[in-house]
Each structure stands twice: as structure tokens, then as C-alpha cells.
Amino acid sequence: GRTKFRAGMDLYFERHDGQAATIEDFITCFEDASGQDLTQFKLWYTQAGTPEIVTKLTYDRSSKTAEIKIDQMQPATPGQTKKLPLHIPLKIALYGSNGQTFPLALEDGSTIEDGVLNLTKRSEVFRFTGITSRPVPSLLCGFSAPVRLTSELSDRDLEFLMAHDEDLFNRWQAATAYAMRVLIHTVSSLAHGRRTHRGAGYAHALALAIPDTKLKAAYRAELLKLPSQSDVARDIGRNVDPALIFKAHRQLGRMIGKLLGGDLEEIYASSSPRGAFSPDAKSAGKRALRSTVLTLLSYRGEPDDSERVWTHFCKATNMTDEAHALALLANDTGPHRLKAVDSFYERWKGDHLVIDTWFAAQAQSVLPDCLETVRALTGHPLFSHAAPNKVRALIGNFAMQNPLQFNRPDGAGYAFVAEEVLKIDRLNPQIAARMLGCFRSWRALEGGRRALAKKALISVQKDGKLSRDVYEIVTKMLDG
């Protein structure tokens, strides 16, 4: 609790101010100030790995009790195969169908006033009474412990938490988990030639969550953002097809844009800038929300949506709006794409920092001619392989922020980056070595792309003039 924690901190400074104190000294102060034995808690300092908490909730309508079973899973790490259970503070809330939380009264008559369950065993069961309807649990509120959490929340539970959870981190987590679940399901459906409308539930849940104007604009912007394509690939883990992930990502974005079109258009209009530009947090939040909404509306692919992005670009009074619109227009197959690219260049060609944004927007384009564009831009007068910022802006963004085109099924994206790494290595080995990070997950790709990525890495390794930096990285990637 706050009071005893503050008492422990005060005691620590009283005893050790100006000294070279140890972790043991630090924890002893909290034991003395609170009267609690923190011996088990000290295992956090000696046991490696991130623990996983697995929860299962069951509800008995007749006795009006809810039972939560919680298991601690400790990952095996070198030299630590047998691990003891940790002391883990798990803060929870149980929500009723009316959106209100139930008092956390245990079967033995005690009450969890602060919502924190202190886990000290490998497996524990907490039984709560007075639960008049099946509750929806909000777990790890306030991120009360640095653990991985596995629960059995249904789509309906996640929809509920998106609309009602008072813990804003968990509300965002529910939206992210739901979106990730839909995206992975859509990827699987696409791979098997099936259609799915599962994303409609997620879109309707967003429709309930985003009109809440009591939430800050910056938070609503985060709530509306889909997990990145790289995040989806990481969750899938094996035989990753970046083209299917891109298709699933756009399919869900398009569904949200269509189903929530009216709400999104209203938010966009109400977030329009009024008065002079201001860098304060509130104004920045409004710009972030407006940009996120603009992106979702652009996924619909209707003529009005393209015109809206073009107007956004033309009327931008700050770099945030202008650069975001440029990035969207770089994916536009209509006439606005080249006009925006040329207009931005003419306006900012004298500013070598801003022109990096111009390179980046074209490098991240999902259009089929992106690789040819990037290859041509390596010969542009304002690009130089000797300038790290230019390399990161153009080649780095293509390799690390454009999974669709970098992972082309013909392997041309891999071959191009491998060639560029060798050129950069002659000038700046450290930047070249970092650039190879785009191949870090090559083993997780589906078979065809995996073979082509490996071929590109081997071509780098076989170069006779490699720096020690690049040789070390590429060898580890191939041998690991």
C-alpha cells in the first residue's frame, strides 16, 4: 500500500542517504517499516525469466459465487530449471452486467479492499461470494506485476471490457487482444480460402467505446489503432505469410471504416484544428486522434476518402498533419499520389531533415512499384549511402516498416537490402550491421520466403570484403 511504501522509502533515506546501499538494505527497510516478511519477494531478484499467470474463472449461479483459479508458470532458463513460486501482486476487478464492479468478498468473510490478490503458491483458488451474475474479470489492473497473462476471456468479454473497464490500460489491452484475435483468425481464414465476418463484433465494440468524450483524445487514438503487421507476425510465430497479414489488416481496417464511417467522420470534423498550432499535450492528442481516424476512413477506398486525405495534406498547418497525409497518399493509386510527392519535395527540398520524411513515405508505400521507386531514389541527389539518416529514412524504412514489399514472394526485396547492406558496409559497418536486423525473423517465414531470405543472407556472408560487424551479425543469423 501507499502508506507503508512511503514509510519504507523514508526509512531507506534515513538509514542510507549518501551510502552505497545494496538491494538487501533497500528491501530490509520495507520489511521493518511494514512488518511484512519479503523473503519470498526477493526471488524476483534471483530467478531469471518472465513468469506467466494462467487464470480460469468459473461461476455458480445457484450459490452466487465466482471462483478464480490462478497458476504460476515459471519459464525454464539456463542454470535455473527448478524455480520457486514468486510473490506476485495481482490486482483484479469483477464487473457485473450493469458495468459496475462487485465487492471482492471472499468465502472466509474477508474482503479484498484494494483489489490485490497476493499470489504466493504455484496454484491458488480464490472464491468470491455475493456475485449475482456471471462476472467479467479485469485482470492485472494497473499492470500490478511484470508478468505474462493468459486468460479465457471470450470475444463478448473483451467487447464488454472495451466499453466498461475503468482501468484504462486494461481497456486498451482488451481492444488490442480482441483485434489481434480477429486478425489471426482472418489470416487463417484467408489461407484456407474462407470468408469471415468476425471483425464486425470488434468494430461494434469500438463503436461503443470511442464516442466517450470523457476519455482523452490521445487515448481514443490508441484505442482505435490496430496491432501492427509485425505484431501479428510475432504472435503467429511460424510459417508467417506477410501478404496474408497485410490483407487481413486492411480487411479489418476497411470493415471498421465502413461500419463506423459516420462516427469517424464526426470525430474527424470535431477534431479539426482551431486557432494557431500548439505543441501542448491536449492539442497533440487531438491531432493523433484525427490522424488515426483519417487512416481508417482512407481504408474504405471511396473517392470521397481520397479527396479528404488530399485536402488534409493541402490544408495542413503543421508537419504532423502534412507528413501523415503524405504517407497515406503514397498508397493512393489515384492522381493525388504524384501531386503530393512532388509538392512536398518542392516545399521541403532545402531542409535535409524534413526531406527524410519524403524518403520514408515512399519507402513505406504498399503499392507494387515501391521497390523500383526505392531503388531509383538511392540515386537521388539528396540521398547518400554515407549519410546514416538518409539510409535509415529510405532503406531502413523499406526493410523494417514495409513488411509487404520487403517480403515480396519473389525475394527481390531481400536481394535489394542485401545489396545495399554491402554498399553501406564499405562506408559505415555499424549502420550496415543494424540494417541486417530486418532479417531477424527470417526463420519464422513460410517456406518460400524463408529460402529466399536465407539466400540473401548467404550472399552477404560470402562477400570477401565484409567488416567484422556485419560478418558477426550475418553469421549469427545463419547459424542460430
Side-chain angles (χ1 to χ4, degrees):
R2 289 180 178 270
T3 302
K4 291 179 180 178
F5 181 84
R6 177 56 190 261
M9 287 298 297
D10 289 344
L11 182 58
Y12 173 70
F13 282 108
E14 181 183 326
R15 287 182 180 175
H16 301 292
D17 189 23
Q19 297 180 9
T22 66
I23 288 294
E24 288 75 17
D25 294 331
F26 183 68
I27 294 177
T28 297
C29 291
F30 288 94
E31 289 183 316
D32 293 346
S34 67
Q36 297 181 33
D37 182 358
L38 298 177
T39 301
Q40 185 180 13
F41 189 81
K42 293 177 186 178
L43 293 173
W44 280 98
Y45 293 95
T46 58
Q47 291 188 174
T50 303
E52 181 180 4
I53 298 299
V54 180
T55 68
K56 183 176 182 179
L57 182 142
T58 55
Y59 176 65
D60 188 323
R61 188 179 301 276
S62 59
S63 62
K64 297 181 182 178
T65 60
E67 182 178 283
I68 298 181
K69 183 176 184 293
I70 305 173
D71 295 312
Q72 284 194 42
M73 314 290 287
Q74 300 293 337
T77 52
Q80 293 186 340
T81 53
K82 294 183 179 179
K83 297 183 178 180
L84 298 172
L86 297 170
H87 178 178
I88 300 176
L90 180 68
K91 188 172 184 179
I92 72 165
L94 297 178
Y95 284 89
S97 56
N98 60 355
Q100 302 298 311
T101 56
F102 288 110
L104 298 179
L106 293 171
E107 195 175 39
D108 63 5
S110 61
T111 302
I112 309 295
E113 297 291 347
D114 56 4
V116 176
L117 305 177
N118 286 287
L119 312 180
T120 57
K121 302 175 183 177
R122 292 194 187 282
S123 184
E124 299 183 65
V125 175
F126 297 88
R127 189 172 290 107
F128 301 95
T129 60
I131 310 298
T132 55
S133 62
R134 180 192 174 279
V136 176
S138 177
L139 306 167
L140 203 62
C141 300
F143 199 61
S144 59
V147 299
R148 293 189 177 94
L149 177 68
T150 300
S151 60
E152 296 182 340
L153 295 176
S154 65
D155 288 0
R156 190 176 294 275
D157 290 337
L158 294 174
E159 291 172 19
F160 182 90
L161 292 175
M162 285 172 65
H164 298 288
D165 202 329
E166 295 175 1
D167 186 285
L168 295 185
F169 175 82
N170 275 9
R171 185 184 290 198
W172 170 84
Q173 185 65 50
T176 302
Y178 194 1
M180 183 68 77
R181 187 179 292 181
V182 170
L183 287 166
I184 291 176
H185 171 78
T186 305
V187 169
S188 177
S189 297
L190 290 169
H192 292 88
R194 298 192 301 262
R195 299 184 66 182
T196 178
H197 299 284
R198 189 173 180 179
Y202 170 72
H204 288 307
L206 275 181
L208 295 175
I210 60 171
D212 188 352
T213 54
K214 295 190 296 295
L215 299 173
K216 291 182 178 179
Y219 180 83
R220 293 162 72 196
E222 291 301 317
L223 204 63
L224 278 167
K225 288 180 182 177
L226 297 177
S228 71
Q229 295 173 55
S230 297
D231 288 339
V232 178
R234 195 177 301 115
D235 263 38
I236 291 175
R238 297 176 59 189
N239 294 316
V240 172
D241 186 331
L244 289 183
I245 293 175
F246 170 79
K247 191 173 182 179
H249 203 271
R250 282 300 170 93
Q251 183 173 307
L252 180 56
R254 189 178 303 113
M255 183 179 292
I256 294 169
K258 288 183 176 180
L259 294 179
L260 275 65
D263 291 334
L264 296 176
E265 289 172 5
E266 184 177 335
I267 292 172
Y268 180 82
S270 63
S271 302
S272 297
R274 293 177 176 82
F277 171 83
S278 173
D280 66 90
K282 184 176 181 180
S283 299
K286 284 186 176 181
R287 287 192 292 273
L289 177 59
R290 195 163 179 255
S291 293
T292 303
V293 166
L294 183 67
T295 300
L296 290 170
L297 288 171
S298 73
Y299 288 161
R300 294 189 302 188
E302 298 175 3
D304 287 350
D305 299 321
S306 179
E307 289 298 325
R308 182 183 297 105
V309 178
W310 173 244
T311 302
H312 189 98
F313 175 82
C314 294
K315 293 186 176 181
T317 58
N318 57 82
M319 184 53 64
T320 300
D321 287 346
E322 189 174 357
H324 185 75
L326 176 66
L328 293 179
L329 290 168
N331 299 315
D332 195 321
T333 56
H336 298 317
R337 175 192 175 196
L338 292 178
K339 288 192 295 182
V341 169
D342 292 344
S343 171
F344 192 93
Y345 177 77
E346 287 302 320
R347 182 175 181 182
W348 298 107
K349 61 184 178 182
D351 191 316
H352 70 95
L353 291 177
V354 177
I355 211 65
D356 289 347
T357 301
W358 183 75
F359 281 121
Q362 296 175 84
Q364 294 178 48
S365 171
V366 299
L367 299 181
D369 64 352
C370 176
L371 177 56
E372 287 68 31
T373 299
V374 172
R375 192 185 297 278
L377 286 171
T378 60
H380 193 278
L382 296 185
F383 178 83
S384 170
H385 285 93
N389 284 348
K390 296 294 179 284
V391 169
R392 282 188 284 260
L394 183 61
I395 302 168
N397 272 290
F398 173 78
M400 299 179 186
Q401 302 299 327
N402 194 342
L404 179 68
Q405 295 303 329
F406 172 62
N407 294 286
R408 284 170 46 140
D410 60 3
Y414 306 139
F416 167 73
V417 173
E419 293 167 6
E420 293 300 309
V421 164
L422 293 177
K423 293 177 186 176
I424 299 163
D425 191 37
R426 310 292 189 257
L427 302 167
N428 193 325
Q430 290 77 29
I431 296 297
R434 288 180 194 144
M435 199 66 61
L436 276 176
C438 63
F439 287 99
R440 188 175 292 112
S441 303
W442 72 272
R443 294 179 188 275
L445 295 167
E446 53 80 25
R449 287 180 173 86
R450 185 165 62 245
L452 291 167
K454 183 177 181 180
K455 180 181 177 182
L457 286 170
I458 291 174
S459 73
V460 172
Q461 188 186 44
K462 286 184 175 180
D463 183 83
K465 300 178 181 179
L466 277 190
S467 68
R468 183 182 304 173
D469 303 75
V470 171
Y471 180 80
E472 179 182 355
I473 296 297
V474 74
T475 301
K476 283 184 177 179
M477 283 186 172
L478 287 168
D479 293 347

